[in-house]
Amino acid sequence: MASTKYVYDFDEGDAGMKKLLGGKGSNLAEMTRLGLPVPPGFTITTEACNHYYREGAYPEGLEAEIDEHLERLERKMGKKLGDKNDPLLVSVRSGAAISMPGMMDTVLNLGLNDDSVRGLANQTGDERFAYDAYRRFIQMFSDIVMGVERNRFERELEKKKEERGVALDVELTAEDWKDLVEKFKDIVRKETGRDFPSDPREQLDLAIQAVFKSWGNPRAVTYRKQYDIPHDLGTAVNVQTMVFGNKGDDSATGVCFTRNPSTGEAKRFGEYLVNAQGEDVVAGIRTPKSLDELAEEMPALYGQLTQVMEKLEKHYRDMQDIEFTIEQGKLFMLQTRTGKRTAAAALKIAVDMVESGLIDKEEAVRRIQPDQLDQLLHPRLDPDERYEVIAKGLPASPGAAVGEVVFDADTAEMRGSRGEKVILVRWETTPDDIHGIIAAQGVLTSHGGMTSHAAVVARGMGKPCICGAEAVKINQAERIFEVNGLVVREGETITIDGTSGKVILGEVKLIEPKVDENLEKVLSWADEIRRLGVRTNADTPEDAQRARDFGAEGIGLCRIEHMLIGEDRLPIVRRMILAEDEEKREEALMELEPLLRRDFEEILEIMDGLPVTIRLLDPPLHEFLPNLVDLRVELERLKHVPGEREEYEEKEKLLARVRAESEANPMLGLRGCRVGCTMGGVTEMQVRAIIKAACDLKKKGKDPRVEIMIPLVAFRKELELEREKAVEVTEGVIEAMQTRLEYLVGTMIELPRAALTADQIGEVADFFSFGTNDLTQTTLGFSRDDAEAKFLPMYLENGILTDNPFQTLDVEGVGKLVRMACELGREANPAIKLGICGEHGGDPRSIRFCHQVGLNYVSCSPFRVPVARLAAAHAALGDVQDATK
Amino acid sequence: MASTKYVYDFDEGDAGMKKLLGGKGSNLAEMTRLGLPVPPGFTITTEACNHYYREGAYPEGLEAEIDEHLERLERKMGKKLGDKNDPLLVSVRSGAAISMPGMMDTVLNLGLNDDSVRGLANQTGDERFAYDAYRRFIQMFSDIVMGVERNRFERELEKKKEERGVALDVELTAEDWKDLVEKFKDIVRKETGRDFPSDPREQLDLAIQAVFKSWGNPRAVTYRKQYDIPHDLGTAVNVQTMVFGNKGDDSATGVCFTRNPSTGEAKRFGEYLVNAQGEDVVAGIRTPKSLDELAEEMPALYGQLTQVMEKLEKHYRDMQDIEFTIEQGKLFMLQTRTGKRTAAAALKIAVDMVESGLIDKEEAVRRIQPDQLDQLLHPRLDPDERYEVIAKGLPASPGAAVGEVVFDADTAEMRGSRGEKVILVRWETTPDDIHGIIAAQGVLTSHGGMTSHAAVVARGMGKPCICGAEAVKINQAERIFEVNGLVVREGETITIDGTSGKVILGEVKLIEPKVDENLEKVLSWADEIRRLGVRTNADTPEDAQRARDFGAEGIGLCRIEHMLIGEDRLPIVRRMILAEDEEKREEALMELEPLLRRDFEEILEIMDGLPVTIRLLDPPLHEFLPNLVDLRVELERLKHVPGEREEYEEKEKLLARVRAESEANPMLGLRGCRVGCTMGGVTEMQVRAIIKAACDLKKKGKDPRVEIMIPLVAFRKELELEREKAVEVTEGVIEAMQTRLEYLVGTMIELPRAALTADQIGEVADFFSFGTNDLTQTTLGFSRDDAEAKFLPMYLENGILTDNPFQTLDVEGVGKLVRMACELGREANPAIKLGICGEHGGDPRSIRFCHQVGLNYVSCSPFRVPVARLAAAHAALGDVQDATK
């Protein structure tokens, strides 16, 4: 029986074996295959690691295989591990299939002991070098394999330098190093209770196991969580012949990129240190030289290196990040991998490579991660700046902003109108604060979650916002906030980063967003590839225009409630809600109609020729009323103030009405279509305003495309009744205005029951739009505000959840309902249009799901439109890959 | 082509043709078939009615068929309709497949006109009788067919009696009636603008159409809605030769039952009037005589009648409600139908009939409607009492109670402990009121819905409760409540009926519930038939005992939170929640443990040998804390009271904690297993208390069967983590107490996601219990409190909903999830136990669904256990029927 092969010589593998040999191992094999100067060695597979991780021991046969490959390596090099005359030294490095830089462990110079160090000294004729290497090995091995604290050795080294009156390592002599080697061995003995292992074969085994184990070290686990890397990939182990960049001034070690990783400029870029080992580069003690200097100092080697770089980039068809060592005038390649880059660089490189014919458009699209674009689309903190974070909150709306602290909306408006930059800081915001939010650069609240008023409004406006920064204690009366003892007064400058939730005292330099031509090009290629339409969620002409500029193909969600909270409207809305009879209500509705009509006309005009889905009033009505608690407190206060009898009585009456409207669980209360189904005239007024606006435009020769959306439907009959009303009003207006208009009436699918009975509902809907925010809330039983403030963070920490389900669609639960609703809806009505307008519509992984279930479009906030265009293309490319598997 | 037959002579049909001929028609046919003396006639089918209803006209051929059958009838009787010598008179009566007593119309004496009335007078030799019949006909026909108000005629009749100086109708002469006939015809002419129709054939057509139309009259539509009768059944029309009970003292008309419909006693029961027509019996003007008097007055006829009664009961194998007429010494049968009866009578009749071999046990079970039992299981208002309803609220917990009004829990407790009967009247109740609820006969709140604190607690205790009686305006300070201007003071007596939601001023006599031997017998037969187990929801030893007495086979839901709200516990729970560190929390938990352990021991002992499902803490923690609004108001008050600095600061600190715990949508917040998953020690303490209690009993030789239930699971991992904790604690306790114990750990399925991923969750659950209350809330997006207070009533009214989904399971939506979860759960774990513990577990139609999807058991409140046992048997019998179809 052929047993599993766990070890591959570099000349046995290739770049296609990444999963088995890891990134580093497969690329070393590939470079070997390409005939590049790679120090020989072998790779122990990720499967061996996984076995070790599972069973706590080597798999059967691995030890023998290592022996065999080691022997072959010794034969090839003509050296033996631990040999006292001419010892083979090796490095032992981790290397997973997906790069996790710096997360796992490496041991260099392995094979040295009291005997072989003398062999190394003889062979190199450099005793100082040999003992320096030996002490480095002890130091590194003891730290990584034996768990001895690194700075125990560093202290001994410092002591020695002091004793010898020197400042630099290079000033120490061979004798000094010899002495330190002994001292280091003492430390190991004292700390671990055992001698430093002198058998090189034992050293090798211990090092290999240490690398295996490092797969599970906490920082590696955290890293994998953060970057969504599966925990069962395992790492490979690369055992490679040592070459030395520290064998004198004809030796060097360095790192280079085939293009500039910051800007994408098509110019080689790299750094090296003369007479140094790789770890010295990483340690950043000496200032490295640039590649241009190499061209001057070692022109022949520079020539070789650039040839290799060119060869590698062409071979891999991507920008490479390369490690090399020059040992006494001879070039060795130690690593190549696809280089990490900024979003801007990624775009430029992709476009350049398409233009030079190196890759095709699909490949270019595939190489840009949609989420990367986010950094280009909002102002962001300059990464070169240093700053101190004084508090953290929920990243409620992305982007960074700088401004002076103000504590109320009126001050914000007043100062904002003078052109001053302010940040509005509130416990939480209400519709009364809207003019302040508009005037501010950004919003910071100490309360509320990702769907709090501030968060929703700010996201809609594309304004940075941090919510629920609980450490920020606001004292409204004294116009200060305190955070961990620090007092910040009104007028002091702060910076907020809504992308990360960081609050910073003082001004941090920001980088402004730009959509450059590279992005335009890549997005246009993405448009050729994607099948999903991309619309936007927009409630204002500004948002609509911005989204159209970003390439939105219509509006998927235009929320009327956001048009009702202006100072000129809220009082009318309140009168409408609190009306004592039908007549008074009708009066208020009549006042609202022309205001809404104007709003709709503006938005429809901007979106001329593109569909605009307008959702009828959705939130519970009490959201438009004064706060119940505030009212009760105010009443208590008035009790103690003499002579306010009249005001008291008026407020008391108001309280009774507000109390009657208040609800235990507003999310699940009288809202959505339930308002229209139980309160006459409200639906009719909204539809009238919409259709009149559309007919106005039609008469001006425009092409308005209205889709009326009924929210929160659970029962077919609800939609039927609301649809009947809408159609009746619409036909009436069209007739009265003597024009023609095509329009659709559909519904949001945002309740599990709607999804489960989508066959019934589909019979009376022209379209479904999945409201996955509410659908997630009801399917999971998670109130978003409460969950994000209370238990979601811990759920993510302890692994109950891998993602925030409000950011990335819960495919197993919510997704099952979406899929079911798509199937049932299409069965009932094959012509039905299907879209999504929850925040998931801007999340790349969720977009992939939308593509897979066959939605017609996604809709997202204006700033996410480019992200969604790209993600939709990625989803389509995924299909191609799946189909060719 | 054979056209549809729309008319059947009585001798063409039988009792099996109910759907086509209606109840009355098919029974007339059956009696004719049995050779009983039925006046001849024919029936026009329900299909004809449906056609008329749809098209507004007779179906083709109907008119000819009527002519044909009328002719045949005339031949048979040797009389002709409208004949001036010997006229045929007929009655025209409605008769649907399902009895709708008094809902539709009837016309008697049809066929009279100015000519035929003389024929009738000649034939009978009684002019007075003939003209009396004529004026009755005009009166009835004009009212029903022509829409002339009945009391227009009554006024004329009164005038005539006054004029003639007589008091009774019988004192009027033939001449008087003749005169009145003319006056009546004048009225018709004046009111309708046309003459009273004199053509008998036209009279017949108009009467038939009037009966058809009466199917759609508002009271009939309302009746059908209330009793769930389909609107498309239609009514048949019976045209029958008139016989007269008013032809002198050898004539009579009456109604009889083959057994007593109130008590079920196996003794004939009936009433009759000598010299009267059927309408006189119904009108209740004269006091009827009893059947015993008939035996004395007309022994031969009595003998005939009792023979007919015996024959009909044997033939129909059920108690019959019979109408008869004696015309000049000759007995005629006009109607027989299954008699309506009280629940007690239904039980006694069923048991008697089984014992006499008339029906089998299955049939006996089938005949008792589960919902009927409810009236036997709670005190109820004596139906013979007269009372005035001053307000209505939600029927939150069934049963009636009488007591004096008190406005706070302390007064309730004080007066209750003195043996006084009180009703606790509150705006709404909180855990602080629990001692008052215990001491009161019942609870009335002006706020809150079916799941408000008062409702849930009262239902748990089986105490009558009305919630949300919004018309009741409480003035706590003056200790009164006002309702529509009426002032009720503390100490005044009221009666509340939690079954109907009625609030009544003063004392109403109540009927106490009893479980008699008839009920016991029927339930024991039901137990033989049913496949579903029946458990109870019980949190107290009293409830557990009551439920076991009612035949519960275990506890399906024992809620720990109800054990935490006593005066001795709430302060500890608050300390636990507000603990500043782990140590303080652990202290509070340690204090709670022995208290809970005692509770569990009692309940487990009562349920010895039967499974007890204990649900770990479920509600949001802030439900145990002081109310946020009250606290803020109190703080505002303290601001204005000098010298309360210390209290102010303390309350301010408390407020901060309460605010931190408060939630936007508590239903969807930090509750259920989320508490255990994020707050250490809480789950462990509960499990320790449960398992220690069980082990205590085990050591006493008892047989405790514990099932630990983790609530509100949405993700497999939640259950996995909580299950691990529970198992670890359990095994530890068992080992420490050196005993053995079998136990299960399972979960509630109460979130859509849990149902959708039941295959994953099923892998780590020993059982699922469907929490259909919360599952309905999340699937429909209905907060029960808010929905029932705000839009459910209107939704039921305008037909969006046909049932309250919190009472009867929404099979299409929620049921789909339940079915899916059953299938997925059984796939993952074939041994899984499936039950339901939502309130639907006590609702007969929902129980039928539970049976169909194959649950193992239902669980309901103690008082519903007999209902559920019977409903489960009905469900099983339904299966038998389905299988033999």
Side-chain angles (χ1 to χ4, degrees), chain B residues 850-862:
Chain B
C850 294
H851 173 90
Q852 286 167 341
V853 298
L855 297 193
N856 299 98
Y857 67 85
V858 298
S859 186
C860 56
S861 68

Side-chain angles (χ1 to χ4, degrees), chain A residues 307-419:
Chain A
Q307 269 180 2
V308 169
M309 284 168 82
E310 210 163 306
K311 189 166 188 174
L312 284 174
E313 184 176 284
K314 277 230 172 88
H315 182 71
Y316 283 101
R317 298 183 309 121
D318 203 351
M319 186 263 274
Q320 293 296 297
D321 167 357
I322 297 166
E323 289 177 20
F324 63 93
T325 285
I326 298 169
E327 189 184 78
Q328 296 177 320
K330 191 166 166 0
L331 177 69
F332 291 97
M333 306 313 297
L334 297 184
Q335 167 145 310
T336 189
R337 59 185 170 191
T338 299
K340 295 211 187 288
R341 63 205 78 179
T342 63
L347 288 165
K348 176 156 176 53
I349 291 169
V351 169
D352 285 352
M353 286 189 171
V354 169
E355 283 172 358
S356 69
L358 199 58
I359 60 175
D360 61 16
K361 292 173 184 176
E362 281 193 5
E363 181 62 28
V365 167
R366 194 176 271 132
R367 281 189 187 169
I368 313 298
Q369 284 311 307
D371 273 334
Q372 268 186 307
L373 297 188
D374 216 26
Q375 54 177 268
L376 298 177
L377 300 171
H378 295 284
R380 58 191 199 275
L381 302 178
D382 186 334
D384 296 336
E385 291 271 298
R386 289 283 159 267
Y387 48 79
E388 197 197 343
V389 175
I390 58 170
K392 282 201 77 173
L394 299 169
S397 179
V402 178
E404 294 182 12
V405 170
V406 297
F407 289 105
D408 66 274
D410 292 340
T411 309
E413 192 182 33
M414 190 189 68
R415 299 197 47 192
S417 67
R418 294 203 300 251

Side-chain angles (χ1 to χ4, degrees), chain B residues 713 715-717 719 723 745-747 749 753-768 821-834:
Chain B
V713 164
F715 297 88
R716 177 201 156 111
K717 187 86 184 180
L719 181 57
R723 184 191 174 95
V745 182
T747 184
I749 301 289
R753 195 185 194 281
L756 291 162
T757 61
D759 45 350
Q760 300 176 16
I761 293 172
E763 288 174 357
V764 286
D766 298 324
F767 62 87
F768 285 167
C822 287
E823 284 164 12
L824 292 172
R826 284 222 165 94
E827 256 171 48
N829 174 5
I832 201 162
K833 281 215 264 182
L834 303 174

